[in-house]
Amino acid sequence: MSAAGVLTISREESKMPSYLKTVEKWGVQEIEVHGKSDGNPYMDYTIRGIFRGQDEQVETDGFYDGDGIYKVRFMPSFEGEYHFRVEGTFSEETLEGDFTATAPSEGSHGPVRVAQKHWLSYEDGTPYYSVGTTCYAWVNQPEERQEQTLHTLKNSCFNKIRFCFFPKYYQYNLKEPITYPYLRGQSAGQDPERVRKAFHMPFIPDEPVARVTDFDCYRFNPEHFRRFDRRIRQLCGLGIEADLILMHPYDKWGFATMSRECDMLCLKYIVARYAAFRNVWWSLANEYDLTCKTEADWEDYAALICEKDPYHHMRSIHNCMKYYDYSRPWVTHCSMQRIDLYRHVENTDRYIETYDKPVVWDEISYEGNIDMGWGNISGEELVRRFWEASLRGGYAGHGETYMDPEDILWWSHGAVLHGTSEPRLAFLLKILQQTPGKYLKHGGGSFDEVVGIPCDNEKKGGFEPDYCNYEIHYFGFGRPSFRVFELPADSVYKAEVIDTWNMTVADAGKHSGHTRIALPGRPYMAVRLMKEV
Amino acid sequence: MSAAGVLTISREESKMPSYLKTVEKWGVQEIEVHGKSDGNPYMDYTIRGIFRGQDEQVETDGFYDGDGIYKVRFMPSFEGEYHFRVEGTFSEETLEGDFTATAPSEGSHGPVRVAQKHWLSYEDGTPYYSVGTTCYAWVNQPEERQEQTLHTLKNSCFNKIRFCFFPKYYQYNLKEPITYPYLRGQSAGQDPERVRKAFHMPFIPDEPVARVTDFDCYRFNPEHFRRFDRRIRQLCGLGIEADLILMHPYDKWGFATMSRECDMLCLKYIVARYAAFRNVWWSLANEYDLTCKTEADWEDYAALICEKDPYHHMRSIHNCMKYYDYSRPWVTHCSMQRIDLYRHVENTDRYIETYDKPVVWDEISYEGNIDMGWGNISGEELVRRFWEASLRGGYAGHGETYMDPEDILWWSHGAVLHGTSEPRLAFLLKILQQTPGKYLKHGGGSFDEVVGIPCDNEKKGGFEPDYCNYEIHYFGFGRPSFRVFELPADSVYKAEVIDTWNMTVADAGKHSGHTRIALPGRPYMAVRLMKEV
């Protein structure tokens, strides 16, 4: 059993007593079985598992993994005895058996869920302070680089990573992936209308973009998907959510211009294969508005995922220029890219209110120095954006795009970090973990500060604000030499000066009534006030 | 005759031949005459000048200057012979005479006017690239400090300064002015309703704010206004526009809560006294929305200024939280303070379009380190805001608020500069002066840059932009290591890399077609493209 808790039961093992077959709650119970391999097993046969425990009954699709092997995966959400049955046209026989779901191991808190409408928590109630990163194509890089990426992630604060199944063709991404999701063969599964409407990449003018595939988009390449099995499981073991990007426009192989039928087939395959991993999130698309697909397509695809995913993983869709309608019922959270160069995370509280859902800023420009504005902000500015988003009750995502002689940029390829922001994000995460009442929300404050307060507090703003038991006043790029607070005269507040860039928390004494707290006149400072009881 | 070209004619001199009495075009012709001093000469008597030249006839009010002296001031807008007559109840006799208006001296270009709807130019057609600063209370400081301020201004790039007639009571402004605009006496001229509605300053909790004056607001203090005469004339000699703030809310003496009658009396006095100075602008109020006055008040006051000012000086009104309706016909330009912490000058082109008038960002946070967000940004950020505003076709203003043991902050008191932005603004001004076609406007560009192009050019944006003869691409806080340009294949462009912070312009060679220009991966860089003909 790996850290991610995968138990594989073969047909032979299925008859063994259940106490010999244990999987932990929120682990993956996998049933592996031989079946028919004639024709196109991805299309021609069905496989389905029914899992019955005392507290739940789950029906889920299985999938063909090549070489005559079919698999069904299940994530138990409760401890206790389970009975399973696997059936379908894949075989003449059904398969039945029992297993035991045990207590989760330390560090396993279950899938991430929406908590109190606007925040995120693991299923066991532990708050999830999302500090994401982005390595779009890391699982399509050479194996050695993938291992390096995992090593970097292990030593980082990141607890979510966004990446794609399909290979990526884009600036700094002109190399072929190590495998393709489909088998080569006679071109099959293309939609000519979508080919016509496909996104063009004007910044790669010398590269002919082949839009008609020489792949058979009805036949998956199991080797490709097995690698994703392994990587998702390893991320799970590191406590990192896998925000899986199901579709994207950066393509020259024809995968972005498949027919609806092939898109649906692919989505079903991916959900059947990965839904049982507790750390999976579904990102329907990256920059959906650059693809050749319509709103009707996205809505149908989302409906399919809702139907097929028995665990209701987090679901969203990521924009380029125009936000998707995040009020759609299937959207669990806003997965946002900034649509303005100057004001974006500063709207976090407004978007939370508008959509009544958690806001995750998955793209707010990356730390780096590439040519494009989405990839050349400073570490200071990226960290500032994280603090803005966090104190306003949202979550933010990191990425790094420093020029590299081999074009190995963390944002797409992974490998190692070169920037300055990550340690500061770790520091922010530590501060967030100290939040009383679990979650922060925007607490008004003056025009020139952002104030985070506990989510269960209420606060009156304006010229004569009141004060909560816990407040973080953040001054962003401002460089105040001091700040005046009008604290209640009958309470005592412990004050701390937080240097969010130099990662220090300094005692600033105890305060009551009209009071002044000295600051160093540098940017990126905060004052934390904690009422003494 | 001073550098500002003031000619004073007394009753005795009025009979001398006109060639002995010359004033330059756009200079000040002043007629000084004795009159009645019984009762309240500010209220009880009228004085009026009629000036006739070949190209204009101007009627203008005079004013009482104390000690039985009345004055009438006139600015000739043409060269040639003028005849004048001074009349009114101030005296039993009228006064007539002639004088000659000569060519303006070098460096005198006339009053600033709106040019081509969206820009500013001197009356002689020389473009006016406004680089303003703010020293609200500098003329109310000790004389020595005023001289120091003028010395600083002389060695700076600033060509506009905003300041108040009335003394200022506010944070860092708790000292008394050297003179008051009214004579002490039995309180007269207060409006009790306005006293009730007056702006409160919560950040000065220990200071009792007296709202009822012990001044007689029907009797001006000539000493106060004579000092402003001198300072405005000296600014004119330095080529600096005097953006006169007529009213403001920061008051403890009762001057902000006078009756409408007293406000009107004061405005008439100021216009009669200062309109003949070519460098005068009328700023109806600073932070009008913090005062006790209504929109009807402002509209009436504006109408009065329009009626009384024969020279149609620039007119606006400055906001705190809410923009005034700049589409009002009397408003010549938008005098804006940022109303958002994050996005403001970036809206310059939008506001120009909305109001169809020039946009002057008179307050975009000051360089400094005081407690409040409006006064603690870095020099880098202030300079960035200037470039944003300028390349989008607008103008911006500087201010400096560094903590000082004596509370001498440039923004209010003048004296000396401590910051880093001024030399960079001088550099920007030099670049702006090189604009072909005089004025820049926003030329679209990609999402991640600001492009300034000559005002008479048209440009198509998007993924395949065309190029003008002259373009400045500015990358703000972005740190690109290079940029790709898709120039026309059949033209040659000379390229320069401008480091707006380090104040260098480096030759970047000649370019055609698809081309790449190297940049240093630092913020605040620009690329200038000039088509070779």
Side-chain angles (χ1 to χ4, degrees):
Chain A
M1 201 171 71
S2 84
V6 179
L7 167 71
T8 302
I9 303 175
S10 65
R11 190 180 283 274
E12 295 64 41
E13 292 162 332
S14 69
K15 299 195 178 66
M16 288 160 58
S18 73
Y19 64 85
L20 291 178
K21 291 164 291 182
T22 64
V23 65
E24 64 182 58
K25 176 181 169 179
W26 299 316
V28 179
Q29 204 270 17
E30 181 180 88
I31 293 146
E32 187 181 306
V33 60
H34 283 270
K36 298 172 187 171
S37 56
D38 60 320
N40 178 358
Y42 298 105
M43 295 280 289
D44 300 345
Y45 305 111
T46 63
I47 178 166
R48 188 164 180 75
I50 300 106
F51 297 83
R52 280 201 190 88
Q54 200 180 334
D55 299 299
E56 64 177 336
Q57 171 170 334
V58 171
E59 300 193 12
T60 183
D61 285 346
F63 61 93
Y64 183 62
D65 198 28
D67 305 321
I69 304 285
Y70 289 79
K71 288 178 176 167
V72 181
R73 289 174 177 167
F74 168 66
M75 177 186 81
S77 295
F78 298 90
E79 295 172 41
E81 297 300 300
Y82 278 87
H83 179 77
F84 69 88
R85 194 173 81 239
V86 173
E87 57 186 34
T89 62
F90 77 102
S91 170
E92 306 308 322
E93 317 167 58
T94 60
L95 172 69
E96 292 200 57
D98 301 289
F99 64 93
T100 304
T102 61
S105 57
E106 206 192 319
S108 167
H109 301 286
V112 169
R113 306 296 187 191
V114 174
Q116 298 178 49
K117 271 183 158 182
H118 297 169
W119 296 277
L120 299 172
S121 128
Y122 295 102
E123 191 161 300
D124 75 353
T126 306
Y128 171 64
Y129 304 108
S130 187
V131 177
T133 190
T134 300
C135 302
Y136 285 118
W138 78 280
V139 185
N140 290 324
Q141 303 304 307
E143 291 281 350
E144 195 183 358
R145 189 171 308 138
Q146 294 179 48
E147 300 292 336
Q148 201 182 19
T149 304
L150 284 166
H151 181 79
T152 303
L153 287 170
K154 182 177 181 297
N155 295 316
S156 81
C157 66
F158 300 122
N159 55 26
K160 178 164 92 70
I161 182 169
R162 302 165 64 229
F163 58 101
C164 307
F165 280 105
F166 287 108
K168 181 173 181 178
Y169 181 71
Y170 197 68
Q171 282 171 295
Y172 308 102
N173 285 266
L174 306 178
K175 294 182 197 126
E176 295 294 314
I178 56 168
T179 60
Y180 300 92
Y182 292 98
L183 296 174
R184 295 221 182 242
Q186 199 173 8
S187 171
Q190 286 283 292
D191 179 334
E193 175 59 13
R194 285 183 167 179
V195 172
R196 200 183 59 73
K197 284 171 59 186
F199 175 60
H200 293 280
M201 281 165 286
F203 36 76
I204 316 175
D206 298 332
E207 292 268 344
V209 177
R211 296 291 181 191
V212 177
T213 184
D214 57 351
F215 292 90
D216 177 352
C217 294
Y218 293 98
R219 284 179 191 270
F220 298 106
N221 175 8
E223 185 194 349
H224 186 79
F225 289 95
R226 275 183 219 130
R227 195 171 63 252
F228 279 85
D229 286 354
R230 196 164 74 244
R231 297 310 181 198
I232 293 170
R233 203 166 59 232
Q234 289 167 329
L235 290 172
C236 191
L238 296 174
I240 299 174
E241 301 296 302
D243 199 352
L244 302 178
I245 297 169
L246 303 177
M247 293 173 183
H248 67 69
Y250 332 111
D251 179 70
K252 69 165 183 177
W253 304 276
F255 304 140
T257 49
M258 300 187 302
S259 65
R260 272 174 70 95
E261 185 186 36
C262 285
D263 281 351
M264 294 284 216
L265 190 68
C266 179
L267 290 173
K268 275 193 275 192
Y269 189 78
I270 286 174
V271 174
R273 185 149 195 146
Y274 300 107
F277 290 98
R278 69 171 176 271
N279 62 323
V280 156
W281 298 30
W282 310 119
S283 179
L284 207 48
N286 206 52
E287 300 194 324
Y288 80 91
D289 45 341
L290 300 185
T291 71
C292 55
K293 296 172 180 82
T294 64
E295 194 184 314
D297 291 330
W298 297 122
E299 289 296 311
D300 289 350
Y301 295 171
L304 181 74
I305 290 170
C306 289
E307 181 201 331
K308 292 296 181 183
D309 167 15
Y311 314 107
H312 316 295
H313 286 290
M314 299 296 290
R315 289 177 301 261
S316 196
I317 183 166
H318 186 69
N319 66 291
C320 179
M321 266 102 73
K322 186 173 177 293
Y323 291 128
Y324 200 85
D325 175 9
Y326 296 122
S327 66
R328 299 292 306 161
W330 64 266
V331 175
T332 55
H333 65 288
C334 307
S335 166
M336 294 179 137
Q337 176 169 188
R338 56 130 181 65
I339 54 172
D340 182 83
L341 208 52
Y342 309 99
R343 198 185 211 289
H344 29 78
V345 289
E346 296 80 8
N347 297 330
T348 303
D349 45 308
R350 187 157 67 75
Y351 288 129
I352 291 171
E353 200 177 330
T354 302
Y355 296 110
D356 211 13
K357 291 179 183 177
V359 165
V360 183
W361 286 99
D362 281 312
E363 232 183 306
I364 47 177
S365 302
Y366 306 122
E367 179 183 348
N369 60 3
I370 61 163
D371 55 328
M372 306 299 279
W374 50 257
N376 62 30
I377 65 169
S378 64
E380 285 86 344
E381 176 61 12
L382 182 59
V383 173
R384 186 191 72 77
R385 294 178 185 193
F386 263 81
W387 275 83
E388 278 273 354
S390 300
L391 294 187
R392 290 173 188 272
Y395 307 92
H398 159 276
E400 200 182 85
T401 42
Y402 280 99
M403 296 287 286
D404 179 82
E406 306 287 318
D407 274 358
I408 311 301
L409 284 68
W410 173 262
W411 136 86
S412 198
H413 312 89
V416 295
L417 294 167
H418 302 276
T420 54
S421 55
E422 189 279 332
R424 279 82 187 185
L425 303 180
F427 176 77
L428 166 61
L429 180 57
K430 208 173 72 182
I431 298 287
L432 292 174
Q433 284 163 342
Q434 296 163 3
T435 308
K438 295 186 182 177
Y439 311 114
L440 283 177
K441 70 177 179 185
H442 185 46
S446 308
F447 179 73
D448 55 358
E449 62 181 1
V450 178
V451 183
I453 60 169
C455 69
D456 53 0
N457 277 224
E458 283 313 319
K459 185 178 164 86
K460 162 173 115 254
F463 270 137
E464 287 168 20
D466 57 0
Y467 285 80
C468 302
N469 294 343
Y470 183 91
E471 303 207 341
I472 301 178
H473 293 244
Y474 176 63
F475 310 112
F477 49 69
R479 311 179 305 165
S481 294
F482 69 94
R483 290 289 284 192
V484 168
F485 295 87
E486 304 288 344
L487 298 170
D490 55 357
S491 303
V492 175
Y493 279 79
K494 178 170 157 43
E496 290 169 341
V497 171
I498 301 177
D499 184 330
T500 70
W501 185 253
N502 293 307
M503 300 174 282
T504 56
V505 179
D507 185 355
K510 297 187 179 186
H511 297 261
S512 282
H514 177 79
T515 190
R516 180 176 162 136
I517 294 175
L519 289 161
R522 288 196 303 269
Y524 315 123
M525 304 300 296
V527 167
R528 179 156 65 172
L529 299 171
M530 288 164 287
K531 190 172 176 178
E532 306 229 307
V533 284
Chain B
M1 201 171 69
S2 82
V6 178
L7 167 72
T8 302
I9 304 176
S10 64
R11 190 179 285 273
E12 294 64 43
E13 292 160 335
S14 67
K15 300 197 178 64
M16 288 160 58
S18 74
Y19 63 85
L20 292 177
K21 291 166 291 183
T22 64
V23 66
E24 63 182 59
K25 175 181 169 181
W26 300 316
V28 178
Q29 205 269 20
E30 180 180 89
I31 293 148
E32 188 180 304
V33 59
H34 282 269
K36 299 174 188 170
S37 57
D38 60 321
N40 178 358
Y42 297 105
M43 294 281 288
D44 299 345
Y45 304 112
T46 62
I47 178 165
R48 187 163 179 75
I50 299 106
F51 298 83
R52 281 201 189 86
Q54 200 178 335
D55 299 299
E56 65 178 336
Q57 171 170 334
V58 171
E59 300 194 12
T60 182
D61 286 347
F63 60 93
Y64 183 62
D65 197 29
D67 305 321
I69 303 286
Y70 288 77
K71 288 178 175 166
V72 181
R73 290 175 177 166
F74 168 66
M75 177 186 82
S77 295
F78 298 89
E79 295 174 41
E81 298 301 298
Y82 279 88
H83 179 78
F84 69 86
R85 194 173 80 240
V86 173
E87 58 187 33
T89 62
F90 76 101
S91 170
E92 307 306 323
E93 318 167 56
T94 59
L95 173 69
E96 292 199 58
D98 301 289
F99 63 93
T100 303
T102 60
S105 57
E106 206 193 319
S108 167
H109 302 286
V112 169
R113 306 295 187 193
V114 174
Q116 297 179 49
K117 270 183 157 182
H118 297 167
W119 295 277
L120 299 172
S121 129
Y122 295 104
E123 192 161 299
D124 74 353
T126 306
Y128 171 63
Y129 304 107
S130 186
V131 177
T133 190
T134 300
C135 303
Y136 286 118
W138 78 279
V139 185
N140 289 324
Q141 303 304 306
E143 291 281 351
E144 195 184 0
R145 189 171 306 137
Q146 293 178 49
E147 300 293 338
Q148 201 181 20
T149 304
L150 284 167
H151 181 79
T152 303
L153 287 169
K154 181 175 182 297
N155 296 315
S156 81
C157 65
F158 300 121
N159 55 24
K160 179 164 93 69
I161 182 169
R162 303 165 64 229
F163 58 100
C164 307
F165 279 106
F166 287 109
K168 181 173 180 178
Y169 181 69
Y170 196 70
Q171 280 171 296
Y172 307 102
N173 286 267
L174 305 178
K175 294 180 196 130
E176 295 295 315
I178 57 168
T179 60
Y180 300 91
Y182 294 97
L183 296 174
R184 294 219 183 241
Q186 198 171 9
S187 171
Q190 286 282 291
D191 178 335
E193 175 60 13
R194 285 183 167 181
V195 172
R196 199 184 58 73
K197 283 170 61 188
F199 175 61
H200 293 280
M201 280 165 287
F203 36 77
I204 317 175
D206 299 333
E207 292 269 344
V209 178
R211 296 289 180 192
V212 176
T213 183
D214 57 352
F215 291 92
D216 177 353
C217 295
Y218 293 96
R219 286 179 189 269
F220 298 105
N221 175 8
E223 184 194 349
H224 186 79
F225 289 94
R226 275 184 219 131
R227 196 172 61 252
F228 279 85
D229 287 353
R230 194 165 73 244
R231 296 311 181 198
I232 292 170
R233 204 166 59 231
Q234 289 167 329
L235 291 173
C236 191
L238 296 175
I240 299 173
E241 302 296 301
D243 199 353
L244 302 178
I245 296 167
L246 303 177
M247 295 174 182
H248 67 69
Y250 332 110
D251 179 72
K252 69 167 183 175
W253 304 275
F255 304 140
T257 49
M258 299 188 304
S259 65
R260 273 173 70 96
E261 186 185 36
C262 285
D263 281 351
M264 295 285 218
L265 190 68
C266 179
L267 290 174
K268 274 192 276 191
Y269 190 77
I270 286 174
V271 174
R273 186 151 196 146
Y274 301 107
F277 291 98
R278 68 171 176 273
N279 62 323
V280 155
W281 298 28
W282 309 120
S283 178
L284 207 48
N286 207 52
E287 301 193 324
Y288 80 92
D289 46 340
L290 300 184
T291 71
C292 54
K293 296 172 180 81
T294 64
E295 194 185 314
D297 291 331
W298 298 122
E299 288 296 311
D300 289 350
Y301 295 172
L304 182 73
I305 290 170
C306 289
E307 181 200 329
K308 293 293 182 185
D309 168 15
Y311 314 107
H312 316 295
H313 286 290
M314 300 294 292
R315 290 177 300 262
S316 196
I317 183 166
H318 185 70
N319 66 292
C320 179
M321 266 101 73
K322 187 173 175 296
Y323 291 129
Y324 200 84
D325 176 8
Y326 296 120
S327 67
R328 298 292 307 160
W330 64 266
V331 175
T332 56
H333 66 287
C334 307
S335 166
M336 294 179 138
Q337 177 170 187
R338 58 130 180 65
I339 54 172
D340 183 82
L341 208 51
Y342 309 98
R343 199 186 209 289
H344 29 77
V345 289
E346 297 80 9
N347 297 331
T348 302
D349 47 307
R350 186 157 68 75
Y351 287 129
I352 291 171
E353 198 178 331
T354 302
Y355 296 110
D356 210 14
K357 291 179 182 178
V359 165
V360 183
W361 287 100
D362 281 312
E363 232 184 305
I364 47 178
S365 301
Y366 307 122
E367 179 183 347
N369 61 2
I370 61 164
D371 55 328
M372 307 298 280
W374 52 257
N376 61 30
I377 65 168
S378 65
E380 286 87 343
E381 176 62 12
L382 183 58
V383 173
R384 186 191 73 76
R385 294 179 186 193
F386 264 81
W387 276 82
E388 279 273 354
S390 300
L391 295 188
R392 290 173 187 271
Y395 306 92
H398 159 274
E400 202 183 84
T401 41
Y402 279 100
M403 296 286 286
D404 179 85
E406 306 287 318
D407 274 358
I408 311 300
L409 283 68
W410 173 263
W411 135 85
S412 198
H413 312 89
V416 295
L417 294 168
H418 302 277
T420 53
S421 54
E422 189 280 329
R424 279 83 188 184
L425 303 180
F427 176 78
L428 166 62
L429 180 57
K430 208 173 71 183
I431 297 286
L432 292 175
Q433 283 163 344
Q434 296 162 5
T435 308
K438 296 185 181 178
Y439 311 113
L440 285 177
K441 70 176 179 186
H442 184 47
S446 309
F447 180 74
D448 54 359
E449 62 181 2
V450 179
V451 183
I453 61 170
C455 68
D456 53 0
N457 278 224
E458 284 312 319
K459 186 178 162 84
K460 156 173 120 255
F463 270 136
E464 288 168 19
D466 57 359
Y467 285 81
C468 302
N469 295 343
Y470 183 92
E471 304 207 339
I472 301 178
H473 293 243
Y474 176 64
F475 311 111
F477 49 69
R479 311 179 305 165
S481 295
F482 69 94
R483 290 287 285 191
V484 169
F485 296 87
E486 303 289 344
L487 298 169
D490 55 357
S491 303
V492 175
Y493 279 77
K494 178 169 154 46
E496 291 170 340
V497 171
I498 301 177
D499 184 330
T500 71
W501 185 252
N502 293 308
M503 300 174 281
T504 56
V505 179
D507 185 354
K510 296 186 178 186
H511 296 262
S512 283
H514 177 80
T515 190
R516 182 176 160 136
I517 294 175
L519 289 161
R522 289 196 301 270
Y524 315 124
M525 304 301 297
V527 167
R528 179 157 65 171
L529 298 172
M530 288 164 290
K531 191 173 175 176
E532 306 230 305
V533 283

